[in-house]
Amino acid sequence: MKRIVTDAATLGIELSPHQARLIRRYETLLLERAIPMGLVARSDSDRLYERHILDSLRAAPLFRPSDRRAYDLGSGAGLPGISLAIVLPRCRFTLAESRSKRSAFLELAVERLGLSNVDVHAGSADTLPAGADIVTARAFAPLERTWPLAAGLLRVGGKLIYFAGKRIRDPEGMARAAAGPSRQVSIEKVLESMAPLVMMTLE
Protein backbone atom coordinates (compact mmCIF):
# COMPACT_ATOMS: atom_id res chain seq x y z
CA MET A 1 0.00 0.00 0.00
CA LYS A 2 2.98 2.29 0.44
CA ARG A 3 3.41 2.38 -3.32
CA ILE A 4 -0.22 3.47 -3.79
CA VAL A 5 0.24 6.34 -1.34
CA THR A 6 3.51 7.37 -3.01
CA ASP A 7 2.06 7.24 -6.53
CA ALA A 8 -0.96 9.25 -5.42
CA ALA A 9 1.30 11.86 -3.84
CA THR A 10 3.11 12.19 -7.17
CA LEU A 11 -0.25 13.18 -8.65
CA GLY A 12 -0.89 15.63 -5.83
CA ILE A 13 -3.39 13.34 -4.10
CA GLU A 14 -3.12 12.82 -0.35
CA LEU A 15 -4.50 9.39 0.48
CA SER A 16 -5.55 8.13 3.89
CA PRO A 17 -4.65 4.55 4.84
CA HIS A 18 -8.32 3.65 4.40
CA GLN A 19 -8.38 5.00 0.84
CA ALA A 20 -5.20 3.11 -0.01
CA ARG A 21 -6.78 -0.09 1.32
CA LEU A 22 -9.90 0.54 -0.79
CA ILE A 23 -7.78 0.88 -3.92
CA ARG A 24 -6.04 -2.39 -3.14
CA ARG A 25 -9.41 -4.09 -2.52
CA TYR A 26 -10.70 -2.73 -5.80
CA GLU A 27 -7.67 -4.13 -7.60
CA THR A 28 -8.43 -7.52 -6.05
CA LEU A 29 -12.05 -7.29 -7.23
CA LEU A 30 -10.87 -6.56 -10.75
CA LEU A 31 -8.55 -9.56 -10.64
CA GLU A 32 -11.00 -12.00 -9.06
CA ARG A 33 -14.26 -10.89 -10.69
CA ALA A 34 -13.84 -8.46 -13.58
CA ILE A 35 -11.22 -10.46 -15.48
CA PRO A 36 -13.14 -13.79 -15.32
CA MET A 37 -16.27 -11.90 -16.46
CA GLY A 38 -14.38 -10.55 -19.46
CA LEU A 39 -14.63 -6.92 -18.35
CA VAL A 40 -10.85 -6.50 -18.30
CA ALA A 41 -8.41 -8.33 -20.56
CA ARG A 42 -6.82 -11.39 -18.98
CA SER A 43 -3.49 -10.22 -20.40
CA ASP A 44 -3.68 -7.27 -17.99
CA SER A 45 -3.69 -9.51 -14.89
CA ASP A 46 -0.11 -8.64 -13.98
CA ARG A 47 -0.48 -4.92 -14.65
CA LEU A 48 -3.94 -4.04 -13.38
CA TYR A 49 -2.68 -1.35 -11.06
CA GLU A 50 -0.43 0.48 -13.53
CA ARG A 51 -2.52 0.06 -16.69
CA HIS A 52 -5.94 0.71 -15.21
CA ILE A 53 -6.04 2.09 -11.66
CA LEU A 54 -3.07 4.46 -11.74
CA ASP A 55 -4.05 5.49 -15.26
CA SER A 56 -7.54 6.35 -13.99
CA LEU A 57 -6.20 8.38 -11.08
CA ARG A 58 -4.47 10.77 -13.48
CA ALA A 59 -7.78 12.59 -13.85
CA ALA A 60 -8.09 13.40 -10.14
CA PRO A 61 -5.86 16.52 -10.21
CA LEU A 62 -8.07 17.98 -12.95
CA PHE A 63 -11.12 18.09 -10.68
CA ARG A 64 -11.82 21.50 -9.16
CA PRO A 65 -12.69 21.87 -5.44
CA SER A 66 -16.16 23.04 -6.49
CA ASP A 67 -16.89 19.94 -8.60
CA ARG A 68 -19.55 17.90 -6.84
CA ARG A 69 -21.25 15.85 -9.56
CA ALA A 70 -19.46 13.59 -12.04
CA TYR A 71 -20.63 11.13 -14.67
CA ASP A 72 -18.46 8.26 -15.92
CA LEU A 73 -19.61 7.25 -19.41
CA GLY A 74 -19.49 3.58 -20.34
CA SER A 75 -17.98 2.83 -16.95
CA GLY A 76 -17.40 -0.87 -17.68
CA ALA A 77 -15.49 -2.23 -14.71
CA GLY A 78 -15.53 1.18 -13.02
CA LEU A 79 -12.54 2.68 -14.78
CA PRO A 80 -11.99 5.51 -14.10
CA GLY A 81 -15.12 6.16 -12.00
CA ILE A 82 -14.53 3.90 -9.01
CA SER A 83 -10.86 4.79 -8.67
CA LEU A 84 -11.72 8.50 -8.74
CA ALA A 85 -14.62 8.10 -6.32
CA ILE A 86 -12.27 6.52 -3.78
CA VAL A 87 -9.83 9.44 -3.84
CA LEU A 88 -12.44 12.20 -4.29
CA PRO A 89 -15.08 11.49 -1.63
CA ARG A 90 -16.43 15.05 -1.83
CA CYS A 91 -17.72 14.38 -5.35
CA ARG A 92 -20.74 12.22 -6.21
CA PHE A 93 -20.12 9.86 -9.12
CA THR A 94 -22.68 8.25 -11.38
CA LEU A 95 -21.35 5.26 -13.30
CA ALA A 96 -23.30 4.93 -16.54
CA GLU A 97 -23.22 1.45 -18.04
CA SER A 98 -25.92 0.05 -20.32
CA ARG A 99 -24.66 -3.54 -20.47
CA SER A 100 -26.22 -5.64 -17.72
CA LYS A 101 -23.18 -7.80 -16.91
CA ARG A 102 -21.02 -4.73 -16.43
CA SER A 103 -23.57 -2.79 -14.42
CA ALA A 104 -23.98 -5.84 -12.16
CA PHE A 105 -20.25 -5.84 -11.48
CA LEU A 106 -20.39 -2.11 -10.70
CA GLU A 107 -23.19 -2.67 -8.19
CA LEU A 108 -21.13 -5.42 -6.56
CA ALA A 109 -18.00 -3.26 -6.40
CA VAL A 110 -19.85 -0.28 -4.92
CA GLU A 111 -21.36 -2.53 -2.25
CA ARG A 112 -18.13 -4.40 -1.44
CA LEU A 113 -16.13 -1.16 -1.18
CA GLY A 114 -18.82 0.71 0.74
CA LEU A 115 -18.74 3.72 -1.61
CA SER A 116 -21.52 6.00 -0.41
CA ASN A 117 -20.68 8.64 -3.05
CA VAL A 118 -21.34 6.36 -6.04
CA ASP A 119 -24.52 5.50 -7.96
CA VAL A 120 -24.82 3.03 -10.82
CA HIS A 121 -26.96 4.05 -13.79
CA ALA A 122 -27.83 0.80 -15.56
CA GLY A 123 -28.86 2.42 -18.80
CA SER A 124 -27.79 4.62 -21.66
CA ALA A 125 -25.72 7.67 -20.73
CA ASP A 126 -27.95 9.95 -22.77
CA THR A 127 -30.78 9.35 -20.29
CA LEU A 128 -28.86 10.97 -17.43
CA PRO A 129 -30.05 14.41 -16.27
CA ALA A 130 -28.01 17.39 -17.42
CA GLY A 131 -26.00 19.58 -15.07
CA ALA A 132 -22.84 17.57 -14.31
CA ASP A 133 -19.65 19.38 -13.32
CA ILE A 134 -17.44 16.66 -14.83
CA VAL A 135 -17.91 13.90 -17.38
CA THR A 136 -15.18 11.27 -17.75
CA ALA A 137 -14.73 8.90 -20.68
CA ARG A 138 -12.11 6.16 -20.90
CA ALA A 139 -12.33 3.53 -23.64
CA PHE A 140 -15.89 4.72 -24.26
CA ALA A 141 -16.17 6.00 -27.83
CA PRO A 142 -14.21 8.12 -30.32
CA LEU A 143 -13.87 11.74 -29.27
CA GLU A 144 -16.07 13.01 -32.08
CA ARG A 145 -18.95 10.94 -30.68
CA THR A 146 -18.16 11.50 -27.03
CA TRP A 147 -18.15 15.31 -27.02
CA PRO A 148 -21.71 15.88 -28.33
CA LEU A 149 -23.04 13.43 -25.73
CA ALA A 150 -20.96 14.83 -22.88
CA ALA A 151 -21.81 18.42 -23.77
CA GLY A 152 -25.50 17.64 -23.36
CA LEU A 153 -24.84 16.38 -19.83
CA LEU A 154 -22.57 19.19 -18.62
CA ARG A 155 -23.47 22.49 -17.03
CA VAL A 156 -21.97 25.59 -18.63
CA GLY A 157 -18.37 25.65 -17.45
CA GLY A 158 -18.42 21.90 -16.85
CA LYS A 159 -15.79 19.78 -18.53
CA LEU A 160 -15.21 16.49 -20.25
CA ILE A 161 -12.04 14.62 -19.25
CA TYR A 162 -11.31 12.27 -22.14
CA PHE A 163 -8.63 9.58 -21.92
CA ALA A 164 -6.94 9.73 -25.30
CA GLY A 165 -5.25 6.51 -26.33
CA LYS A 166 -1.66 6.51 -27.50
CA ARG A 167 -2.84 5.81 -31.05
CA ILE A 168 -4.46 9.25 -31.31
CA ARG A 169 -1.81 11.40 -32.95
CA ASP A 170 -3.51 14.79 -32.74
CA PRO A 171 -5.93 14.79 -29.79
CA GLU A 172 -6.11 18.58 -29.67
CA GLY A 173 -7.00 18.81 -33.35
CA MET A 174 -9.69 16.16 -32.92
CA ALA A 175 -11.11 17.96 -29.89
CA ARG A 176 -11.35 21.27 -31.72
CA ALA A 177 -12.84 19.68 -34.85
CA ALA A 178 -15.50 17.60 -33.06
CA ALA A 179 -19.11 18.57 -33.79
CA GLY A 180 -21.13 20.00 -30.93
CA PRO A 181 -21.32 23.09 -28.75
CA SER A 182 -18.51 25.60 -28.36
CA ARG A 183 -15.73 24.49 -26.06
CA GLN A 184 -12.31 25.36 -24.66
CA VAL A 185 -9.69 22.67 -25.23
CA SER A 186 -6.55 21.82 -23.31
CA ILE A 187 -4.25 18.80 -23.36
CA GLU A 188 -2.93 17.57 -20.03
CA LYS A 189 0.11 15.31 -19.68
CA VAL A 190 -0.32 14.27 -16.07
CA LEU A 191 2.19 11.42 -16.28
CA GLU A 192 4.72 11.57 -19.13
CA SER A 193 4.73 7.80 -19.54
CA MET A 194 0.99 7.71 -20.33
CA ALA A 195 -1.23 9.05 -23.09
CA PRO A 196 -2.58 12.59 -22.67
CA LEU A 197 -5.89 13.60 -21.17
CA VAL A 198 -8.08 15.86 -23.31
CA MET A 199 -10.02 18.47 -21.37
CA MET A 200 -13.00 20.10 -23.09
CA THR A 201 -14.87 22.80 -21.17
CA LEU A 202 -18.40 23.72 -22.25
CA GLU A 203 -18.73 27.43 -22.98
Side-chain angles (χ1 to χ4, degrees):
M1 289 200 305
K2 184 178 179 181
R3 181 187 176 187
I4 296 173
V5 173
T6 300
D7 288 341
T10 301
L11 294 171
I13 306 167
E14 185 176 346
L15 285 189
S16 69
H18 175 64
Q19 288 171 310
R21 284 193 294 271
L22 284 180
I23 289 176
R24 184 60 73 203
R25 285 169 57 191
Y26 176 46
E27 182 184 4
T28 299
L29 268 177
L30 291 174
L31 182 63
E32 295 180 351
R33 294 296 189 97
I35 287 179
M37 292 172 69
L39 308 187
V40 177
R42 192 169 294 278
S43 58
D44 288 342
S45 297
D46 295 331
R47 51 180 182 171
L48 274 172
Y49 172 72
E50 296 84 0
R51 186 175 177 83
H52 295 291
I53 295 176
L54 183 59
D55 182 60
S56 295
L57 291 179
R58 293 185 299 135
L62 304 180
F63 278 64
R64 298 158 293 199
S66 60
D67 291 332
R68 291 291 183 270
R69 188 180 185 188
Y71 294 160
D72 184 26
L73 305 185
S75 194
L79 300 158
I82 287 180
S83 300
L84 293 171
I86 290 171
V87 304
L88 297 168
R90 69 176 186 274
C91 189
R92 184 152 206 90
F93 286 80
T94 298
L95 313 180
E97 179 51 65
S98 60
R99 287 166 286 190
S100 59
K101 184 167 69 170
R102 299 182 180 215
S103 61
F105 171 79
L106 293 174
E107 295 279 9
L108 172 70
V110 169
E111 179 185 359
R112 291 282 181 89
L113 299 173
L115 298 177
S116 59
N117 63 326
V118 179
D119 300 305
V120 176
H121 177 76
S124 176
D126 59 11
T127 61
L128 289 166
D133 300 302
I134 298 285
V135 168
T136 58
R138 180 180 185 269
F140 170 65
L143 187 53
E144 60 268 22
R145 286 175 46 205
T146 301
W147 171 244
L149 172 59
L153 300 174
L154 289 166
R155 63 169 176 80
V156 174
K159 61 188 178 184
L160 166 67
I161 301 175
Y162 183 86
F163 288 69
K166 292 183 177 179
R167 295 180 182 178
I168 298 179
R169 295 187 177 183
D170 183 16
E172 183 172 0
M174 291 183 65
R176 295 191 184 281
S182 179
R183 81 301 308 250
Q184 295 178 4
V185 176
S186 65
I187 306 299
E188 305 292 336
K189 284 288 289 184
V190 180
L191 289 175
E192 288 299 324
S193 60
M194 295 182 179
L197 297 173
V198 180
M199 235 172 27
M200 301 173 70
T201 304
L202 182 66
E203 294 185 324

